Structures are given as C-alpha cells and as structure tokens.
Amino acid sequence: MTAAPLETSNPRTSHPVRLQTAGLADAAVIAALQQVCFPDDPWGGDAVASLIGQPGFFAALALREDAEGDDPVGFLLARVAAEDGEIIAVGVRADARGQGTGRRLVVAALDGARALGATALFLEVAEDNGMAQSLYKSCGFFVVGRRPGYYRRADGRVAALVLRYSYTDK
C-alpha cells in the first residue's frame, strides 16, 4: 500500500527533496531518522519493520539530493484500518525544516489514507510542539482530545493532543 503522489520536489530549496515510497528495506533508515527527530522516544529498526509489515500500512521517505546521492531528511509512517487512518509518525530533520517537507509528508499521508478508503485521519502531536500543531491545523486537522503524559521527555512527560482530519467534511 503506498501513499500517492510521492514523486515531487520543492523548488524553494537549493537541494531538491523528493518523496519516495518506503518499504521493509528502509526500516533502519526510518528508525535512524525517528531517533534524530524524536530522541526522547527512539524506535529501533525492528519496531519500524514490524509496523511496515502490517496490512494497510504505508511509509514514505523524504530524500534530499546532494553530491553524495540521496540524503534522507524526513519520513512518514501511516496506516488505515477500516475507515480510520492514522499518522503514526512524521518527522523532518532539524536541518531540513522550514522548507515544506513536513507539509508534503502530511499531504502524502492524507492522499495515501484516502486511496485506502479512510474517511478520517487521526494523529497525536505533543502539546508543546507548536510548530507541528500549526502545520496540522493548516492542513485541516482539528483537536478532538488530549492524552495526558503521552510523550516522554528528558525532563518528564508531556500531553498529546489528538487531532482528526475528516474527508467527509471537505
């Protein structure tokens, strides 16, 4: 199952970024990106691989072209079960943020979930992550709940906001 469209680039960057469907062979790369993006709650390659193998699951990598080849700068992990889709994780390396890559990954999740029959797409976002909240809200997500103490931090825990996107309201 793949999110579509994935082959796009952003003309605002000096090094074009493209999205590519990810599979089991990319589990270690995705795990490494997840650890860089979310160091307080790292996942291993085995955990990512077990997700990728599930029915209704899809993943993408954001790759920046440079002199040495493709440099992974972001990732998306998502799935659909029945009519509900879920963004499990989306992350962009700090040195690649602010260039539209996160938005493109979220749009890939929206498109991929719709293609798999979802009528709604859910995600959790840390209550202290204002940048991500702004991105999701600008994409049409809205708050439907809150999970206290959901995310680990070096200095404790922080709540998650549960966000929803409805395809039927559009």
Side-chain angles (χ1 to χ4, degrees), residues 8 12 19 32 70 75 80 83 88 93 98 100 102 131 143 145 153:
T8 59
R12 294 184 311 157
L19 301 188
D70 290 333
F75 72 98
V80 173
E83 296 178 352
I88 297 167
R93 278 189 351 217
M131 183 179 287
V143 177
R153 295 287 192 263

Side-chain angles (χ1 to χ4, degrees), residues 3 9 24 51 55-57 61 63-64 82 92 94 106 110-111 118 126 145 156 162:
S9 64
L24 278 173
L51 288 170
F57 186 87
L61 278 171
L63 302 167
R64 180 170 54 199
V92 176
V106 171
L110 288 165
D111 292 346
V162 180

Side-chain angles (χ1 to χ4, degrees), residues 10-164:
N10 184 345
R12 294 184 311 157
T13 63
S14 58
H15 297 285
V17 172
R18 77 178 194 292
L19 301 188
Q20 163 181 303
T21 300
L24 278 173
D26 302 304
V29 172
I30 292 170
L33 281 168
Q34 194 279 340
Q35 291 175 13
V36 167
C37 294
F38 307 105
D40 292 330
D41 194 12
W43 298 351
D46 290 343
V48 173
S50 72
L51 288 170
I52 290 174
Q54 294 178 7
F57 186 87
F58 59 98
L61 278 171
L63 302 167
R64 180 170 54 199
E65 299 168 19
D66 65 20
E68 296 163 15
D70 290 333
D71 180 23
V73 297
F75 72 98
L76 161 72
L77 301 172
R79 66 178 161 210
V80 173
E83 296 178 352
D84 289 336
E86 176 187 15
I87 294 177
I88 297 167
V90 62
V92 176
R93 278 189 351 217
D95 66 315
R97 291 180 188 152
Q99 300 172 14
T101 302
R103 178 174 302 281
R104 291 176 48 229
L105 288 164
V106 171
V107 169
L110 288 165
D111 292 346
R114 174 182 283 163
L116 293 173
T119 59
L121 185 62
F122 293 87
L123 62 87
E124 287 92 12
V125 61
E127 195 171 57
D128 63 356
N129 190 343
M131 183 179 287
Q133 289 178 45
S134 293
L135 168 62
Y136 297 134
K137 288 178 183 178
S138 74
C139 289
F141 286 84
F142 53 94
V143 177
V144 294
R146 183 175 181 274
R147 298 179 197 262
Y150 189 78
Y151 290 107
R152 274 187 265 175
R153 295 287 192 263
D155 59 352
R157 291 196 160 287
V158 65
L161 299 176
V162 180
L163 305 183
R164 180 179 193 264

